[in-house]
Amino acid sequence: MRAISNLLWIDCTAGAVVGLVVLLFTAQLSNLQGLPHTLVRFMGAVNVLYASFSFFLATRSKRPKPLIKLLVFANSFWSLVCVCLAVAFADTATFLGLGHLIAEAIFVGSLAAQEWRWRAQLVHRPAWGATRPHSVSNVNNREGM
C-alpha cells in the first residue's frame, strides 16, 4: 500500500524534474536530440504544468475520483503524443531524441496504467503510519508482555 500512496509523488516529481531540466537546457537538448526548439520548450512546459496538477492531487487527503481519472487520461494522452512525435520526427531526430520520446511514452504510459489500476486507493491518502506493520511495542502490548 505504501508504494501506491507514493505513486502520485513519483508522478509529480518526475514531471517537475524532467520539465525543469528541459526548460533550462532547451537549446542544448534541441541540438542533441534533433528536435525543434519550440517543441522541446513546449514539452518542458507541459511536464511542469502536469507536475503541478499531480502535486495538487498528491498533497490532498481526499482526492476526487474524477480528478484521478483526469490524471490517468492526461498520462495516457501524453504517452500517445510522445509516440506520435517519435514517428513524426523519426527522420530528423537523433537517437537521443527518439530515445527520450519513447522513454517518456513508456514511463508516462506505465504511470497511467498503475494509476488506473489503483484509482480507488488513490482517492484517499493514507494517514501517516497507516501502512506500517505494527511496532514491537504494540504487538507486545496485545500479547500481554
Side-chain angles (χ1 to χ4, degrees):
M1 183 66 175
R2 188 133 183 98
I4 296 166
S5 67
N6 288 329
L7 193 55
L8 295 176
W9 287 107
I10 292 166
D11 199 342
C12 70
T13 302
V17 169
V18 169
L20 291 174
V21 167
V22 168
L23 287 174
L24 287 171
F25 300 103
T26 297
Q28 296 88 338
L29 288 171
S30 176
N31 291 333
L32 280 173
Q33 295 179 347
L35 297 170
H37 284 81
T38 53
L39 175 63
V40 174
R41 191 175 312 118
F42 174 74
M43 290 178 64
V46 166
N47 273 283
V48 170
L49 181 65
Y50 178 81
S52 300
F53 178 62
S54 55
F55 177 78
F56 168 80
L57 287 176
T59 59
R60 301 292 172 248
S61 58
K62 276 187 117 177
R63 303 168 184 126
K65 198 171 225 173
L67 292 183
I68 296 294
K69 289 180 179 179
L70 178 61
L71 183 73
V72 171
F73 173 78
N75 271 334
S76 300
F77 181 74
W78 189 246
S79 181
L80 181 62
V81 166
C82 288
V83 170
C84 290
L85 288 171
V87 170
F89 289 97
D91 292 338
T92 58
T94 66
F95 180 74
L96 288 173
L98 291 176
H100 174 202
L101 292 169
I102 297 301
E104 188 161 343
I106 291 169
F107 181 77
V108 173
S110 298
L111 280 172
Q114 291 303 309
E115 289 163 348
W116 180 255
R117 179 178 180 198
W118 301 108
R119 65 191 179 279
Q121 290 84 349
L122 290 173
V123 172
H124 297 285
R125 183 177 68 195
W128 286 105
T131 59
R132 294 186 323 187
H134 297 294
S135 68
V136 174
S137 63
N138 287 343
V139 172
N140 289 341
N141 286 338
R142 278 193 237 145
E143 296 174 358
M145 294 184 158

